[in-house]
Amino acid sequence: MNLWFTETENSNLAVKYRIKQVLAHKKTKFQELLVVETERFGRALILDGAVQTTIADEYVYHEMIAHVPLFTHPQPQKVLIIGGGDGGTVRETLKHRSVEEIHIVEIDPEVVAAAKQYLPELSSGFNDPRVTIHHLDGIEYIAGCQNEYDVLIIDSSDPVGPAVGLFQSQFYRQAARALKDDGIFVAQTESPWLNFGLTLPEIYHNIKAAFPLTRMYICNIPTYPCGLWSFTLGSKRYDPLEVNPDKIADLGYRYYTPDLHRAAFVLPRFLQDLL
Ligand code: AG3
């Protein structure tokens, strides 16, 4: 079979995957949803032509977006995830014993349904009694929150289409208000090599303007374009670099380690210059 899926980044760059079959393909109210079985990376969830996650490498992103902020907070109890409809982030968050309540705000119910049907490795946490899913716009939801959450995770798609507002200053100011006095914010902040809509320095500065402490960290995700991927953490009190590695319990990781918690914040020169 010679069936391929191509993710086109811009007029000069595309990434191509050989696929075994198409499992789902539909237009939802918000976006084009595609689930395919790739030869190299297993099942993949693709939204508006952009690979969101694959079975083979999803743990890199989900462990890094969840455990870095959750171990930076000494006692996270109440967590808000915006986006995250595939379930990977909530699965990792549930590993933390201190967490009592998780709210997921995923605008598109069809993403959750597709994850339940085709990505059980990721979506297993949706049925946990600590989890509540709201199918609402994250921007509207957060406008109604004040002083409520210990950790807020923005697990969004690229800053184009439905997700644009999740990368703007007004949203980050609201996010800071939604957090308690010692709350921690983290967002996936895209590729240092490519721009989708907003540039990485723009996103970083928008976050920096809303939090007393801001730090970027990175990891390598083979199925995101160009591989190198960034996250930006905003904090009201705790510094991720001051976390004692001995306090990082082994909750069963495939990428994250106590050493990596710190090392991920060491940025290459070009990225420091960019910021
Ligand atoms: N969210 C970030 C996906 C960004 C990928 N971009 C791209 N392929 N152009 C992933 C959500 C996983 N829970």
Side-chain angles (χ1 to χ4, degrees):
M1 259 237 283
N2 204 22
L3 203 55
W4 294 77
F5 164 75
T6 304
E7 173 169 333
T8 303
E9 315 307 343
N10 55 47
S11 45
N12 299 318
L13 182 72
V15 188
K16 215 166 126 175
Y17 303 83
R18 191 194 293 278
I19 60 177
K20 288 188 177 139
Q21 60 169 325
V22 175
L23 297 160
H25 190 195
K26 55 164 82 171
K27 267 221 149 359
T28 76
K29 199 175 150 203
F30 302 98
Q31 53 208 339
E32 180 188 359
L33 183 154
L34 177 66
V35 182
V36 297
E37 174 93 36
T38 70
E39 290 283 356
R40 178 60 183 82
F41 295 98
R43 291 185 175 186
L45 171 70
I46 297 157
L47 298 175
D48 284 339
V51 172
Q52 299 301 309
T53 200
T54 79
I55 294 301
D57 69 347
E58 57 85 9
Y59 61 89
V60 181
Y61 176 96
H62 293 123
E63 290 180 13
M64 291 305 280
I65 202 170
H67 300 305
V68 173
L70 287 164
F71 278 116
T72 298
H73 196 293
Q75 183 74 358
Q77 293 176 320
K78 198 166 169 186
V79 178
L80 175 60
I81 299 168
I82 295 192
D86 52 69
T89 300
V90 72
R91 181 197 64 205
E92 293 304 313
T93 303
L94 283 163
K95 292 180 177 172
H96 290 252
R97 286 268 212 80
S98 65
V99 172
E100 295 169 351
E101 204 179 325
I102 306 171
H103 291 265
I104 304 175
V105 180
E106 164 59 61
I107 198 167
D108 195 340
E110 306 234 37
V111 172
V112 174
K116 284 184 176 163
Q117 187 171 357
Y118 300 109
L119 308 168
E121 301 88 340
L122 282 93
S123 58
S124 54
F126 286 138
N127 296 323
D128 190 285
R130 290 176 281 170
V131 176
T132 312
I133 307 181
H134 309 266
H135 292 302
L136 297 168
D137 182 342
I139 298 166
E140 282 169 32
Y141 183 91
I142 211 156
C145 303
Q146 204 170 343
N147 199 20
E148 243 184 278
Y149 292 97
D150 298 305
V151 173
L152 166 46
I153 301 175
I154 315 297
D155 181 10
S156 75
S157 41
D158 299 331
V160 285
V164 182
L166 300 176
F167 292 84
Q168 284 161 350
S169 343
Q170 199 192 339
F171 175 75
Y172 296 135
R173 282 196 298 271
Q174 285 290 350
R177 267 175 36 123
L179 286 167
K180 292 182 189 156
D181 285 349
D182 60 350
I184 297 172
F185 165 97
V186 75
Q188 76 84 3
T189 47
E190 301 286 308
S191 163
W193 293 104
L194 296 165
N195 297 323
F196 300 95
L198 290 169
T199 67
L200 184 56
E202 282 168 334
I203 300 169
Y204 179 78
H205 289 287
N206 287 348
I207 297 176
K208 202 173 157 82
F211 292 93
L213 179 87
T214 306
R215 295 198 190 278
M216 179 172 284
Y217 61 99
I218 52 176
C219 66
N220 191 266
I221 304 175
T223 62
Y224 289 174
C226 296
L228 182 64
W229 212 254
S230 76
F231 300 89
T232 303
L233 183 145
S235 179
K236 293 191 179 176
R237 188 177 304 166
Y238 308 113
D239 185 344
L241 297 183
E242 276 162 22
V243 174
N244 178 352
D246 298 334
K247 292 245 164 78
I248 298 182
D250 189 352
L251 304 177
Y253 315 113
R254 289 189 281 168
Y255 187 87
Y256 179 76
T257 70
D259 286 340
L260 198 72
H261 178 101
R262 218 166 195 289
F265 288 90
V266 179
L267 304 181
R269 186 60 180 263
F270 87 95
L271 188 44
Q272 290 181 32
D273 290 348
L274 202 64
L275 302 178

